[in-house]
Amino acid sequence: MKKIWKICAVVLLASVLTIFAGCSARKAITAEEFQKQAKSAGYTVTEPKDDSSGATKSYVATKDGSDVEIDYHLFSSAYSAQNWYSTQKNSMKTGTTKTVVDSDNYNKYTVTNGEINYVLVRVDKTAVLCKAVASKAGEVDSFLNTIKY
């Protein structure tokens, strides 16, 4: 009987470890952390003059001569961020599209329209929209990896 309990305990423990091993949930980056990471990567960070996103905080990161723009938006709720993400995604339907991930807390969508590459990412109540010439797509991917989006 003790042997059965030990086997059950081992199976239960292995199941729990297996379940949580695949859970590397992404965390939303704060506005301050976005600024810090963008500046560290050589971008100039500014607040947009005309922001119609509805976000509580927005920043635009650009780098002279790189043809890369990264827009960061912090919304009051994940619901607001999801709505903004969906609106942006629907407006980008032309070109070669690729939905990378669509889940409750994390969404990532890419589209290439001619020479312009767009990457749209939402994590919880934040969203990041990246625009770059196709030859600079690696720079965008590198920055998104840095902020773990």
Side-chain angles (χ1 to χ4, degrees):
M1 192 65 151
K2 287 183 181 183
K3 190 174 186 177
I4 291 174
W5 282 108
K6 285 182 182 180
I7 292 173
C8 289
V10 170
V11 170
L12 180 61
L13 180 62
S15 298
V16 169
L17 291 176
T18 302
I19 289 170
F20 290 115
C23 293
S24 59
R26 298 178 187 264
K27 288 185 75 172
I29 189 171
T30 65
E32 293 76 20
E33 187 64 22
F34 175 81
Q35 284 185 46
K36 179 182 170 187
Q37 293 293 339
K39 287 177 181 177
S40 155
Y43 291 90
T44 301
V45 180
T46 59
E47 290 188 46
K49 292 179 173 73
D50 298 323
D51 183 26
S52 61
S53 69
T56 58
K57 196 70 165 167
S58 294
Y59 291 109
V60 177
T62 56
K63 192 185 291 187
D64 286 339
S66 74
D67 294 324
V68 175
E69 180 181 307
I70 302 170
D71 301 344
Y72 170 88
H73 302 283
L74 172 64
F75 293 89
S76 60
S77 69
Y79 178 77
S80 297
Q82 179 67 48
N83 284 340
W84 186 83
Y85 170 87
S86 295
T87 300
Q88 296 303 309
K89 180 179 171 183
N90 290 335
S91 71
M92 294 184 210
K93 289 286 184 179
T94 59
T96 307
T97 60
K98 179 181 178 185
T99 300
V100 179
V101 178
D102 263 329
S103 68
D104 288 342
N105 192 52
Y106 178 75
N107 306 93
K108 185 173 183 181
Y109 180 77
T110 63
V111 62
T112 301
N113 187 352
E115 274 296 304
I116 306 296
N117 186 58
Y118 297 92
V119 180
L120 178 61
V121 184
R122 183 195 68 88
V123 177
D124 194 26
K125 59 183 185 176
T126 65
V128 174
L129 173 61
C130 307
K131 297 176 258 182
V133 293
S135 62
K136 298 290 184 172
E139 188 174 327
V140 167
D141 291 340
S142 176
F143 182 76
L144 290 173
N145 285 336
T146 298
I147 64 172
K148 296 180 173 81
Y149 271 44

